[in-house]
Amino acid sequence: MTPSPNDPTPQHPTPLTVGPAGLPPIPPRIARRWRARWDAQQQRYLPRRTERFEVITDALTLDIKRPDPLIVDLGVGPGSLALHLLDRIPGVRIIGVDADPFLLGLADAAREEAGLAPDRLRLVQADLRAPDVLDRPELPEPVHAWVSTTALHWMQHPDLQRLLRSLGAYTAPGGLVLDGDHIYHESKQALFDAFTIRLAGLDAERCGVHENEDWQQWWEAVAEVPEFAAHLAARDGVLEDRHGEHGPARLHHYEQALREAGFADVGTIWQYGDDRVLAARRFGAAPSAPGSRG
Ligand SMILES: C[S@@+](CC[C@H](N)C(=O)[O-])C[C@H]1O[C@@H](n2cnc3c(N)ncnc32)[C@H](O)[C@@H]1O
């Protein structure tokens, strides 16, 4: 049965925390340091990353009126956005999905350290490219908003479009998609592709983050930490074949798939170069508290 937007909190018949199966927990004090290093590393590429988080948070707060929204973070990584939302939206419940058991391990340590109730942050290891990725008992319906940051651009457009098209069936009427990511221009125009690369570089210099540790340095440093050995072994090959024949998705790939999924309003609500927040809202009234609408 399809739940209505006024249904109370969905019931979870399955275990609440899935997490990186069979792996030892990462000690929270170690994880905390590496999450901070992750954020600095990501900021090298996205000087306005925190502003992007704020835009997503503001959009959720403005549009979703219910006190306990269920939000799914696609490509949650070590949990940066999820933790930001948990801090800013009191009753929010988040399911973080990611394929990487090590990054999920860092997020799991944050959950542990913050003493979050099991239904406030649940972590699910899954590959978003799998056609049935949303047909999982850990993903209860209805979802009030899907969020994502710097993750979906990893997917080739056929996989990305299949994922986006499948969101509609799991979304409450009026539910949102808010994706903060590198979303490229309509067609491969040299001028705009060059602009976006140069803009990000200039902005990073202006913000003083251009010399932060880079992606490769971060992963090389991670590989030296004995407490991470089991998680790193488990992530071997998990997303290795992500570069394929199709090239990155462009704006129209996102917009088209979301419209096909029943998201009526689709558009960019914030942008700097190719760094943008794409928003979409499903047909129907915005999710609100049970009993608060006629
Ligand atoms: C650059 S990181 C961003 C992580 C986090 N959202 C953030 O902003 O810090 C990209 C994330 O997307 C995840 N990811 C990429 N492709 C994926 C896929 N096909 N399935 C699941 N997770 C994926 C990666 O494992 C990684 O955690």
Side-chain angles (χ1 to χ4, degrees):
M1 190 179 87
T2 306
S4 90
N6 283 339
D7 277 351
T9 304
Q11 297 303 303
H12 309 295
T14 47
L16 288 178
T17 300
V18 177
L23 292 168
I26 296 176
R29 78 190 150 75
I30 298 180
R32 192 188 322 133
R33 188 152 26 98
W34 286 90
R35 279 197 313 275
R37 246 171 110 158
W38 168 271
D39 288 336
Q41 173 257 108
Q42 285 287 293
Q43 220 175 340
R44 175 187 173 121
Y45 305 100
L46 301 160
R48 294 161 193 261
R49 183 168 176 257
T50 308
E51 190 178 318
R52 190 208 253 180
F53 286 2
E54 295 294 1
V55 172
I56 292 174
T57 310
D58 287 347
L60 289 168
T61 314
L62 274 175
D63 210 54
I64 297 187
K65 299 298 179 203
R66 54 181 300 142
D68 60 345
L70 177 65
I71 295 179
V72 178
D73 185 345
L74 299 166
V76 64
S80 311
L81 175 65
L83 294 168
H84 184 90
L85 296 178
L86 283 157
D87 190 46
R88 294 282 305 278
I89 307 176
V92 73
R93 297 166 296 131
I94 299 187
I95 300 174
V97 183
D98 205 288
D100 188 319
F102 169 63
L103 296 177
L104 283 174
L106 293 180
D108 198 41
R111 189 188 57 72
E112 179 71 28
E113 188 172 31
L116 291 168
D119 67 339
R120 299 295 310 287
L121 176 60
R122 279 178 293 143
L123 299 167
V124 176
Q125 186 177 1
D127 190 330
L128 296 170
R129 296 169 300 183
D132 59 351
V133 64
L134 301 180
D135 287 334
R136 299 173 63 108
E138 305 95 327
L139 298 178
E141 301 171 60
V143 172
H144 302 115
W146 306 86
V147 297
S148 186
T149 54
T150 335
L152 300 184
H153 78 280
W154 282 33
M155 300 175 76
Q156 295 205 36
H157 67 79
D159 292 332
L160 172 84
Q161 289 199 303
R162 182 174 54 218
L163 173 70
L164 295 179
R165 280 190 203 107
S166 68
L167 298 185
Y170 297 85
T171 308
L176 296 175
V177 174
L178 293 159
D179 179 27
D181 208 341
H182 303 289
I183 300 180
Y184 305 106
H185 290 273
E186 282 309 326
S187 59
K188 190 157 177 49
Q189 299 174 71
L191 174 67
F192 291 106
D193 285 352
F195 262 159
T196 59
I197 291 166
R198 286 292 295 138
L199 283 173
L202 290 172
D203 203 28
E205 276 179 46
R206 195 165 38 238
C207 297
V209 294
H210 61 298
E211 289 181 344
N212 285 13
E213 185 173 46
D214 71 17
W215 174 264
Q216 182 145 354
Q217 288 163 336
W218 190 85
W219 282 105
E220 283 169 4
V222 158
E224 300 298 318
V225 182
E227 285 85 349
F228 297 161
H231 288 78
L232 294 181
R235 86 182 282 277
D236 244 11
V238 163
L239 287 171
E240 224 157 50
D241 56 343
R242 72 185 171 101
H243 297 291
E245 61 194 284
H246 294 287
R250 292 180 179 273
L251 180 61
H252 72 273
H253 292 119
Y254 290 78
E255 292 188 336
Q256 181 191 42
L258 285 166
R259 291 210 169 88
E260 285 168 14
F263 291 86
D265 303 321
V266 183
T268 298
I269 55 171
W270 177 90
Q271 181 170 5
Y272 184 85
D274 68 15
D275 181 7
R276 70 175 94 201
V277 175
L278 187 67
R281 184 154 77 172
R282 194 155 193 269
F283 289 111
S288 60
S292 69
R293 292 189 291 126

